[in-house]
């Protein structure tokens, strides 16, 4: 079954992927808040980034808060 619906946060993840190498140089370890193609800013903690995103876009809107890291952590769930 083919779907044309875009995965939630796909646009935001694409923005992150496109800018990751650039952001690693200036903001390593910081958190970025993204909605659509708009980058709100960079923050020292997840909580600060989420709070700023919720203030800008509301708590009922999808937006991405992601830490800028070179290697993505892998989590195992058993």
């Amino acid at each position: 079954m083919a779907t044309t619906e875009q995965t939630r946060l796909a646009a935001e993840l694409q923005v992150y992927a496109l800018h990751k190498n650039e952001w690693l140089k200036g903001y390593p370890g910081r958190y970025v808040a993204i909605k659509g193609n708009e980058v709100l800013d960079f923050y020292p903690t997840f909580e600060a980034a989420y709070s700023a995103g919720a203030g800008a876009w509301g708590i009922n809107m999808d937006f991405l808060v992601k830490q800028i890291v070179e290697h993505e952590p892998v989590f195992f769930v058993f």
Side-chain angles (χ1 to χ4, degrees):
M1 178 175 163
T3 180
T4 58
E5 183 178 333
Q6 193 175 30
T7 303
R8 287 176 77 178
L9 300 177
E12 291 82 356
L13 289 168
Q14 184 176 13
V15 169
Y16 176 82
L18 288 172
H19 296 282
K20 178 180 174 179
N21 289 332
E22 171 191 343
W23 293 343
L24 277 169
K25 294 174 186 173
Y27 307 99
R30 294 183 67 92
Y31 293 81
V32 61
I34 307 169
K35 176 161 179 36
N37 293 321
E38 180 185 353
V39 175
L40 186 58
D41 210 343
F42 302 89
Y43 303 89
T45 65
F46 174 87
E47 291 80 8
Y50 179 82
S51 179
W57 300 307
I59 60 171
N60 294 320
M61 297 295 293
D62 286 346
F63 63 91
L64 177 69
V65 172
K66 182 136 178 54
Q67 188 174 28
I68 302 166
V69 293
E70 185 173 358
H71 301 287
E72 299 297 329
V74 177
F75 300 99
F76 293 95
V77 178
F78 297 95

